[in-house]
Amino acid sequence: METFDHVIVGGGIVGASIAYHMRCKGAGSVLLLERNELASAASSRAAGLILQASTKVSKTPLVKRTRDTIPILEEELGESVGFHNVGSLRIAASEERTLELDSMAADASKWGVPIEWPSTTELSKLVPWLDVSTIRKAAFLPTDGYADPYLLSMSYFKAAQARGAVLRPRTNVRDIIMNNQKIIGVLTDAGHVSCGTVIDACGAWAALFSAQAGSPLPMAPVRSHYWITEPSASYGGEHPVTILPDIGAYMRPEVGGLVLGVQEPRSATFDARELPDDPAAFSPTQGEEHWDVLANSYDAISQFFPGIESAQFSNYICGLSSYTPDGEIILGPVPSISGFYAAAGACGSGIALSAGIGDVIADLVMQQEPAFNIETFRSDRFGMVDPFGEAFRERCAAARASKSRKLT
Ligand SMILES: Cc1cc2nc3c(=O)[nH]c(=O)nc-3n(C[C@H](O)[C@H](O)[C@H](O)COP(=O)(O)OP(=O)(O)OC[C@H]3O[C@@H](n4cnc5c(N)ncnc54)[C@H](O)[C@@H]3O)c2cc1C
């Protein structure tokens, strides 16, 4: 039987960053187990936005940690990790969103995130395709941008491996082994691994995985999606990521065209028990229904982006994000199971939060105080719930619907 100090289950960006941070801090031997290929689930489908200001003030320091880690990783690997530092523009077109923007900006400033307040003329220069006539206020965050999520995940993996982490794709973890509520190992398709720590970084499957230890995490898989346009001279170019919370939409550049993301009023959710092990065998969108979702948003989007009327959409990407009812992640020890930690329910921000999450888990397994306050992220904050039941899943879908706005 093999023995490691720590076993990370799940080889997406969250597991990758945890492996990297654990080895950076010298946390002992680390084995990462992934049942498919590395970064083949949500972490290869994300739009990759890295936005440091958030309606969830708890997220800002963790995202900032990711932004600060990007140049460190690049230095360490001697190559790009696929980050595009185009900045982000957050637009408010109503009084409610203006107040929200002011409060987000004040919070982000406290963490040292640079924020500028462009004039209408400056806005038109930053994003020439934007109709500025209905905009009340806009903030520009020059250090934000977007990453290639697969490249960033693989960069964490490479750096973790160089520091001694063992990465094992195509290895399914079938069970968690405990003795008197204390982790002593895992059972994989290839046999037993003995360890004192297990970290659940199983993405959309995290509640299912933790249920094996009798503690299903309070989160549910929810559909996230976006569309990609053909390249166009009228809106192509390296413009800032543009966030439109009034209509729950965002745009970012994509090889001469745009990525357009829309938060649905009611996103599809799924019972994790019914998901196949291989995400390639499952699509959260059936048939062509997504064109209706896009068509329903046209009028709202065209207020800000009139060019949408003539945009040619050539691609549609969908996948599963994991949401909790309050839109906050689940991060920290799983109560009543010694040696079991959760890093899940990233609420559509796992790429942006990745380094913050990795840093917290690395500190926790080394019995050190995390650099961030993680009280908000406790896994028992909703009390006893059935994360697979429809009523709970609807609460998670509602959190997705209002992701870019404060929950009311
Ligand atoms: C369309 C879309 C757009 C998004 N856009 C953004 C964005 O702009 N910015 C952002 O920050 N986030 C975004 N996200 C969210 C982001 O992709 C996720 O939060 C992030 O990828 C989660 O990473 P993860 O490692 O937790 O999960 P995953 O990448 O899903 O990895 C989990 C892994 O665990 C493995 N696993 C599960 N069970 C087991 C087991 N029993 N044994 C072994 N392995 C197991 C799975 O095979 C999987 O590979 C988006 C998501 C989607 C779908």
Side-chain angles (χ1 to χ4, degrees), residues 3 39 51 79 99 132 142 149 157 202 211 241 245 251 253 267 274 276 302 307 332 349 367 371 377 394:
T3 300
L51 309 174
E79 60 191 25
L99 292 172
V132 294
F157 279 128
C202 289
V241 176
M251 288 93 165
S267 298
E274 289 166 13
S302 62
S349 303
Q367 314 298 326
F377 310 141
E394 287 306 317

Side-chain angles (χ1 to χ4, degrees), residues 35-36 41 202 204-205 208 270-284 320:
R35 65 181 163 207
N36 299 304
C202 289
W205 299 265
L208 206 54
F270 300 87
D271 181 341
R273 295 171 302 190
E274 289 166 13
L275 297 179
D277 288 357
D278 180 0
F282 172 79
S283 167
L320 293 175

